[in-house]
Amino acid sequence: MLKPNQVLFPEGNRGGDIAADTDWATGVVRLFMHMDQWNTVLSLPNDADDSDERYTTEIITHEALHVLHMLTTGYAYELSLTCYELAMRAVKECGTLDKIYINREKYRSAVEPHFRHLEQAGPDGLSNLDLMESVAFLVQKRAHYPAMGPASYETKLNEEIFSQRYRGAYDIAVAFLGEDAFEELPHIVSLSLMTSNPVEAFIPLIRLFKQFGSSPDQMRKHQAGIALLNEKFGDTLLGGAWERIYRKRSAHPLLLPAISGCAELVKSKKVPPLAILARPHSVLDELSSTLGPLVLLEPRAGEKPAAWPAALWQGREEFDERLEPASVQFVCAVSMLLSMEIDPIPEQEASVRDVSASYDRPRELVILEVLRHELNEETVDHLADFIASVESDPSAVRHMRGMLAITFSDDEFEGSPFVDGGVRAFLNSAYDRVPHLLYYLVSESRNSAMLGCAAAHSPNGAVKPDGKGGINLKMTRAMLKEVRLLLRAAAVFSRQRGDDPLVQLGSHLDLFQDSHRTMLRKEIAES
């Protein structure tokens, strides 16, 4: 009689060329390593020194990202649910693995179209699987090399990747976004996977994200991305995994506990909601207790596969036979029987390209908080010296663009600090010293950088508190004239650095009404 372990880990076959894989029907991660090796891996830090040990932990992170896509995005969730339902249909109709194997053609023909849709190349030669694999490789590197930046990542691609499947989506994103692809690809792919054919949405979403320049405001980009999907891809929009569960009034029983676990981490504020979609490398440790249902480990001769349930499963109180390790392994074996004779579409050989990134550090917001007693020329001098030090290194200029925030302590200012004359005088002096300062300032949904700029160049009577903690700002001709000059200086500086000034500075203009915004965009374009 055929047993699950004979299907999951055939004798004499240690996975061929793969070290691990993830089963679509169950979310089970199969690792071709023994329990003692697994225990060693669990004790390793993410940035283990030994290259072999680090690569092993990278593999686990890579597969975890595939599971995370099943738990968060409509496309991956629906594919998993479809494969699970087909496997359970085979179990119901046949019962044993032997009978399923005999009748496997019947079920293989039902599941094969879904795998073809996953692997078939679409626009620009990319497949839906290419999107997920490209992101999984990026996330595994970012999780285990925290100091890695775009340049060293591109070097890793050239050294380690020989298939377009694991770099194709990144290379296309680089063609549009440059180094920003390093930060934005996970978010763009997550949004793409909220449609039934992600590759169709991928390029439009890249173009949309390009409009935001280097802004780190992920919520703003996310909202714009959702609006684009609703407008352009409404017929194929699936949404996230939770939305699929809500609409169908039924759920994938093996994924639901993990989906609920992720939701609970967000609700309890242990994990920022957008980080799961946009910066998964930063929250995988927090999510590790929920990702599951199982990791299966290769048995030694004469033994059964070792099952390692996620912590969420280990601690559950209620009994559900479907979630028992033996039941999950059985369904996983069925899933693999149904897909074992589906030949994968051949992968394209990777196109190695020269490293194009100009800097090699992850981008992080730089916050300059100015206290009331620091509102003086000495602090302005420090700011100007800091900018001068950045500009002594061309790569540092690109790294810093749109990533500087000048803030003022909430404890020292009641309401908006821009009502305070000392703050406005300080900012006015800062712009005198660094006229292109807007190139470096972060553009976020509250438009605080441009609001501060406009307030700093407005007469006292034009800036008043609104009674709600903000300000009422009168759009005077004098202020608009000064803002135009500062935008022109930033646009010229941006163009000299090879950036598109409308992309880099355009988000700063959301503060203004349409007529003023049109005038200021023209000023930027013609500078």
Side-chain angles (χ1 to χ4, degrees):
M1 174 179 273
L2 193 59
K3 297 180 179 179
N5 62 300
Q6 294 173 298
V7 177
L8 297 169
F9 296 98
E11 189 174 351
N13 178 14
R14 296 206 67 199
D17 294 332
I18 64 172
D21 60 15
T22 300
D23 174 51
W24 274 103
T26 61
V28 165
V29 175
R30 182 175 59 160
L31 294 176
F32 290 91
M33 67 174 66
H34 302 304
M35 177 59 85
D36 55 343
Q37 297 169 300
W38 170 249
N39 287 331
T40 299
V41 168
L42 289 179
S43 67
L44 296 173
N46 278 347
D47 56 351
D49 293 331
D50 183 274
S51 58
D52 290 337
E53 291 178 343
R54 184 186 298 216
Y55 186 66
T56 302
T57 60
E58 285 184 44
I59 291 170
I60 297 169
T61 298
H62 185 103
E63 300 305 325
L65 201 279
H66 290 320
V67 176
L68 187 61
H69 278 152
M70 296 182 197
L71 305 180
T72 55
T73 68
Y75 177 81
Y77 174 82
E78 285 291 328
L79 178 57
S80 179
L81 180 60
T82 297
C83 292
Y84 176 79
E85 290 174 342
L86 286 169
M88 293 306 297
R89 179 180 139 202
V91 171
K92 182 178 180 180
E93 294 175 356
C94 298
T96 66
L97 291 178
D98 296 271
K99 290 183 179 180
I100 292 171
Y101 180 75
I102 293 171
N103 294 281
R104 65 190 182 281
E105 173 59 28
K106 169 184 176 181
Y107 303 104
R108 183 196 64 77
S109 62
V111 76
E112 184 172 13
H114 299 285
F115 284 101
R116 289 285 173 253
H117 185 263
L118 177 68
E119 297 182 6
Q120 188 67 49
D124 298 289
L126 287 177
S127 70
N128 294 318
L129 183 57
D130 293 345
L131 299 186
M132 288 184 272
E133 292 291 6
S134 292
V135 168
F137 188 75
L138 172 62
V139 169
Q140 80 177 62
K141 291 302 179 186
R142 294 208 65 179
H144 296 279
Y145 295 84
M148 176 178 281
S152 55
Y153 180 67
E154 292 182 22
T155 300
K156 286 286 186 184
L157 285 174
N158 289 341
E159 292 174 349
E160 299 182 15
I161 294 303
F162 306 100
S163 165
Q164 281 297 97
R165 176 144 294 162
Y166 297 89
R167 67 174 296 164
Y170 186 82
D171 287 340
I172 288 177
V174 167
F176 287 88
L177 304 175
E179 296 97 337
D180 290 338
F182 186 73
E183 306 291 346
E184 306 295 359
L185 184 66
H187 198 175
I188 293 169
V189 169
S190 292
L191 286 166
S192 300
L193 290 170
M194 292 184 182
T195 69
S196 60
N197 195 21
V199 289
E200 290 185 351
F202 181 60
I203 299 296
L205 283 166
I206 288 178
R207 294 183 187 278
L208 173 69
F209 272 53
K210 184 177 180 179
Q211 296 176 18
F212 291 93
S214 56
S215 171
D217 192 343
Q218 294 294 345
M219 179 58 75
R220 192 177 182 198
K221 296 173 189 175
H222 189 75
Q223 292 170 342
I226 294 297
L228 174 71
L229 294 179
N230 277 291
E231 178 183 356
K232 302 292 186 182
F233 301 95
D235 293 342
T236 61
L237 186 61
L238 298 173
W242 261 124
E243 292 172 88
R244 304 312 303 159
I245 292 170
Y246 178 78
R247 292 177 186 177
K248 286 194 167 187
R249 305 293 180 181
S250 63
H252 191 313
L254 304 187
L255 298 185
L256 181 59
I259 293 172
S260 300
C262 289
E264 183 58 35
L265 287 173
V266 170
K267 183 179 179 181
S268 63
K269 298 183 179 180
K270 294 179 180 178
V271 173
L274 270 186
I276 296 177
L277 300 177
R279 295 178 61 81
H281 68 278
S282 68
V283 293
L284 281 177
D285 283 347
E286 288 78 3
L287 295 173
S288 61
S289 63
T290 67
L291 297 181
L294 292 177
V295 171
L296 288 181
L297 302 165
E298 182 182 23
R300 296 193 184 277
E303 298 178 352
K304 294 182 179 180
W308 187 273
L312 182 71
W313 272 259
Q314 296 179 36
R316 62 188 174 88
E317 298 178 359
E318 72 282 359
F319 177 81
D320 187 334
E321 185 177 358
R322 296 172 299 179
L323 300 180
E324 291 302 299
S327 299
V328 175
Q329 288 182 65
F330 185 82
V331 178
C332 185
V334 172
S335 171
M336 291 185 176
L337 278 180
L338 302 188
S339 60
M340 63 187 296
E341 294 179 355
I342 299 176
D343 293 327
I345 294 175
E347 298 177 19
Q348 298 180 34
E349 185 176 347
S351 299
V352 177
R353 60 178 176 81
D354 292 337
V355 173
S356 61
S358 64
Y359 59 84
D360 197 28
R361 290 168 288 170
R363 301 191 75 208
E364 296 179 349
L365 193 64
V366 176
I367 299 175
L368 171 64
E369 184 178 49
V370 182
L371 302 178
R372 184 179 289 278
H373 73 272
E374 296 172 328
L375 295 172
N376 51 50
E377 287 302 312
E378 183 179 359
T379 306
V380 173
D381 289 341
H382 287 318
L383 173 62
D385 290 344
F386 171 71
I387 297 297
S389 69
V390 169
E391 293 175 359
S392 66
D393 178 359
S395 68
V397 174
R398 265 192 83 70
H399 182 260
M400 184 59 66
R401 71 197 193 286
M403 297 301 289
L404 175 64
I406 301 175
T407 66
F408 305 91
S409 174
D410 291 338
D411 295 336
E412 295 188 323
F413 298 95
E414 185 176 349
S416 172
F418 302 133
V419 176
D420 187 271
V423 169
R424 298 204 306 276
F426 171 83
L427 288 173
N428 195 302
S429 182
Y431 281 102
D432 282 346
R433 293 289 301 278
V434 188
H436 55 283
L437 185 58
L438 284 169
Y439 174 84
Y440 294 106
L441 293 182
V442 61
S443 171
E444 56 183 4
S445 55
R446 293 175 298 170
N447 298 298
S448 59
M450 179 53 77
L451 183 60
C453 176
H457 294 89
S458 296
N460 289 334
V463 182
K464 296 181 179 179
D466 64 0
K468 302 176 183 179
I471 66 171
N472 287 321
L473 180 65
K474 184 178 180 180
M475 296 289 166
T476 65
R477 288 187 178 182
M479 179 271 287
L480 288 170
K481 178 181 178 181
E482 292 298 323
V483 168
R484 287 176 62 183
L485 292 174
L486 294 172
L487 281 170
R488 181 186 302 170
V492 170
F493 186 84
S494 176
R495 203 182 301 279
Q496 290 171 344
R497 267 64 189 174
D499 292 318
D500 181 338
L502 276 175
V503 170
Q504 188 58 37
L505 302 171
S507 295
H508 284 305
L509 306 184
D510 291 350
L511 173 70
F512 300 100
Q513 297 176 350
D514 288 346
S515 59
H516 292 149
R517 190 183 306 123
T518 299
M519 173 193 69
L520 294 172
R521 284 183 63 85
K522 182 179 179 181
E523 187 73 36
I524 293 172
E526 294 178 354
S527 297

